[in-house]
Amino acid sequence: MDTATERALAGLWRRLLGVARVDRRDDFFALGGDSFRANQLAAQVQRTFGAPATATLAFDRPVLAGQAAWIDAHTDSPAAAPDTAGTGPELPLTTQQLEFLDWMAQTSPPRDPGAISTAIRLREPLAPGLLRRALDTVVRRHEPLRLLRARTPDGALRLGTAAELPAELELVTARDEAHAVELARAERERVGDLVADPLVRALLIRLDTSDAVLVLSVHHFVFDGWSLGVLLRELGLLISAFAAGRPDPLPPLALDHADYCAWTARQWERNREFWQQTLTGAPRALEPFPGRRPTDRFARRRHAFELPAELMAGLRLRARELGATPFMAVAACWSRVLVDWTGRTDLVLMSPVPGRTAAEHDALIGCLVQSLLLRVDADGADGFPALLARVRATALAAATHQFHAYHETAPLVPYPARIHYENWGSGPFLPGLRSEPFPLPREQQGLDWPTPGGGLDLSTPELICEERPDGSLSAAVVYNHHAFTPDTAARLATAFHAEVVAAAGPQESARA
């Protein structure tokens, strides 16, 4: 890129078109642009550069260099155009990160996805210097954890990478265990700010010389649930090695973040037609949804419940007999609840998957999660086996095409019915150290956001499930408390429990 405007404009193109690389000679439409994205481009050019762009910009000047020249000619000070040079090399972004950028920019002030956090009880001494050294080693190893963030005077977000970006490490002493719980929860409830916050935070709460709680938080923009396991494993190995006077034991990564992003971007092109066909005509939201109150605010609340191990064993057995997974069985039961509750049979579920299909993906830290949109046709699917067969076929097809440009498909179905299913085995711990999980809230209940443009929130209560080592299922209906009452969430949980009981039973009762 020859100019600051070309570099900044190339960043807009990459986000809009879902491509990993853009050259100044590239054609907007040859890279996948269309009239819809031409309008999006015009809006972003107006917001980023202050130039009076319309959709004709892309049609009259489809080549990037020509668009940049037009922008320079229509701004008061071309030299003032956003420049990423001061923030280091640009970090390639995943589709979830691109979607996060759009999601954050939809409200004023911008929303923030916050941090993914965990807390671990340490039953042996941990020297802060060892923890600091291990944290810094992990940050240097994984490029996303060195993301530099800044805003231009007009509010545009600039992203780059740094050679070094220390994590935040804070040491406090708790009066007793209740105080430690209070301190850990306060750390979890810190409101996120992608620009102002450190990306990686560690709070070491001392209870005694050989008893402490470690709270780790990493901003979700650069981190996902799978990455948490990678972080804990690497920290445990590094702390153990450094404590014994040994060097860094971690082997070089087989694949770096940029290569992963480039590979997934190629998959977006291959899978784009599948998702366009799948989502054509899909409902943008599940409405009307009985019990939903009109609101232009969003704040999460949770109604927690459990499904016992014996009941889940029956559901797993039934799923296996029908050639399906426990997730598919749970999704079928939840789909039946939504059909009965709303009377709608065209459902779009959204379920995250790790986005790691090759062995070399497993060791990466980043926001690599893929969001699968599962369009389920429940019309005429009477009984659990029939609906499970529909869910199974949909889930398998979506998984086959899981690497897709979610930042493109998300606007097509802005309010899918979210379902989150996890099976992590044991709770979080640090390998090589005497450690165990410490209780920490999953949701940040202090977050309260406006809806985009002040429109009505049409979100559907979300089902979150986590398999426990004993075979039981920890579950929750998570909902916008401005839109739904606790009683509505409780009734949905009860209905889901009843569907699981019916599905796991020895006989499937016929439905009228």
Side-chain angles (χ1 to χ4, degrees):
M1 299 296 170
D2 290 346
T3 69
T5 303
E6 289 180 359
R7 289 193 294 272
L9 183 61
L12 298 184
W13 277 36
R14 284 194 297 273
R15 289 193 289 276
L16 278 175
L17 304 176
V19 294
R21 298 286 185 272
V22 174
D23 186 87
R24 67 188 305 271
R25 295 162 295 185
D26 281 338
D27 184 290
F28 184 78
F29 296 99
L31 293 182
D34 53 24
S35 58
F36 174 72
R37 289 176 184 80
N39 279 287
Q40 289 183 315
L41 176 67
Q44 295 197 25
V45 165
Q46 290 180 35
R47 183 169 64 246
T48 302
F49 300 96
T54 67
T56 59
L57 173 64
F59 287 93
D60 293 345
R61 296 168 180 81
V63 175
L64 186 136
Q67 291 184 11
W70 181 91
I71 291 169
D72 285 342
H74 289 79
T75 53
D76 294 335
S77 176
D83 183 2
T84 59
T87 57
E90 291 186 25
L91 178 73
L93 300 179
T94 66
T95 182
Q96 183 60 67
Q97 290 177 303
L98 292 169
E99 201 278 329
F100 270 152
L101 289 177
D102 291 340
W103 178 84
M104 287 187 286
Q106 287 172 353
T107 63
S108 181
R111 294 177 288 187
D112 193 281
I116 292 179
S117 302
T118 192
I120 299 167
R121 186 76 172 263
L122 300 170
R123 300 291 190 174
E124 63 177 85
L126 174 59
L130 283 179
L131 177 58
R132 159 62 66 193
R133 184 180 173 192
L135 282 168
D136 288 346
T137 301
V138 172
V139 170
R140 281 194 297 269
R141 176 176 169 83
H142 296 281
E143 188 180 21
L145 302 183
R146 292 182 276 110
L147 179 73
L148 290 174
R149 300 87 60 206
R151 289 196 183 276
T152 62
D154 62 0
L157 186 64
R158 296 187 300 171
L159 302 176
T161 52
E164 298 282 341
L165 191 65
E168 177 186 89
L169 174 58
E170 183 180 359
L171 308 177
V172 296
T173 299
R175 296 185 300 270
D176 50 31
E177 187 161 338
H179 188 213
V181 170
E182 180 183 333
L183 291 170
R185 286 176 176 264
E187 172 66 10
R188 176 69 184 104
E189 290 295 330
R190 281 175 59 172
V191 176
D193 186 323
L194 177 60
V195 174
D197 283 357
L199 289 177
V200 182
R201 307 195 310 262
L203 175 65
L204 188 61
I205 307 169
R206 283 176 166 161
L207 285 156
D208 202 340
T209 55
S210 59
D211 190 3
V213 174
L214 175 61
V215 184
L216 293 168
S217 301
V218 185
H219 200 285
H220 194 8
F221 188 79
V222 297
F223 201 72
D224 56 21
W226 184 283
S227 297
L228 182 59
V230 179
L231 174 65
L232 295 179
R233 181 182 66 83
E234 293 188 350
L235 280 180
L237 293 174
L238 289 166
I239 290 170
S240 297
F242 295 160
R246 298 192 303 270
D248 177 354
L250 302 176
L253 292 171
L255 183 76
D256 65 19
H257 183 266
D259 288 339
Y260 175 87
C261 288
W263 179 80
T264 55
R266 292 194 294 271
Q267 313 313 305
W268 301 348
E269 299 303 316
R270 297 188 180 102
N271 294 328
R272 182 170 279 114
E273 183 178 358
F274 168 84
W275 289 103
Q276 289 175 344
Q277 292 178 351
T278 298
L279 297 177
T280 297
R284 292 173 52 82
L286 190 56
E287 58 174 341
F289 197 99
R292 181 194 286 134
R293 300 172 297 193
T295 181
D296 60 359
R297 303 289 304 181
F298 184 91
R300 291 162 69 90
R301 294 292 185 271
R302 144 182 301 248
H303 173 83
F305 62 104
E306 296 183 8
L307 300 183
E310 183 178 2
L311 175 59
M312 288 306 301
L315 185 66
R316 292 187 190 96
L317 176 61
R318 195 71 191 287
R320 188 164 58 249
E321 291 171 348
L322 296 171
T325 65
F327 162 73
M328 295 173 186
V330 165
C333 291
W334 186 239
S335 296
R336 179 59 66 190
V337 171
L338 297 177
V339 169
D340 290 347
W341 192 273
T342 66
R344 303 291 177 173
T345 57
D346 188 359
L347 309 176
V348 180
L349 309 181
M350 196 285 280
S351 182
V353 292
R356 300 163 191 262
T357 58
E360 58 268 27
H361 300 165
D362 291 350
L364 295 177
I365 283 178
C367 188
L368 313 186
V369 61
Q370 301 290 305
S371 298
L372 296 192
L373 292 166
L374 312 178
R375 189 175 183 183
V376 178
D377 177 11
D379 187 28
D382 298 328
F384 178 72
L387 186 54
L388 179 59
R390 303 265 183 99
V391 171
R392 178 183 183 275
T394 298
L396 289 175
T400 300
H401 301 86
Q402 67 178 270
F403 294 103
H404 73 289
Y406 181 61
H407 55 287
E408 295 178 7
T409 58
L412 302 179
V413 188
Y415 295 103
R418 297 173 180 267
I419 177 170
H420 198 116
Y421 192 91
E422 298 176 350
N423 180 9
W424 299 113
S426 61
F429 68 100
L430 286 171
L433 285 77
R434 291 194 296 275
S435 57
E436 62 197 43
F438 189 79
L440 199 67
R442 181 175 182 127
E443 278 84 33
Q444 292 175 283
Q445 295 197 1
L447 298 179
D448 198 316
W449 296 313
T451 56
L456 294 180
D457 176 61
L458 299 179
S459 64
T460 299
E462 176 181 3
L463 179 67
I464 296 179
C465 299
E466 181 179 354
E467 288 192 10
R468 289 178 170 169
D470 65 359
S472 64
L473 195 73
S474 173
V477 173
V478 178
Y479 59 98
N480 179 6
H481 87 94
H482 293 298
F484 298 100
T485 65
D487 179 67
T488 297
R491 289 168 57 202
L492 287 166
T494 298
F496 173 70
H497 182 275
E499 290 296 336
V500 173
V501 170
Q507 299 291 328
E508 170 70 12
S509 58
R511 290 180 176 270

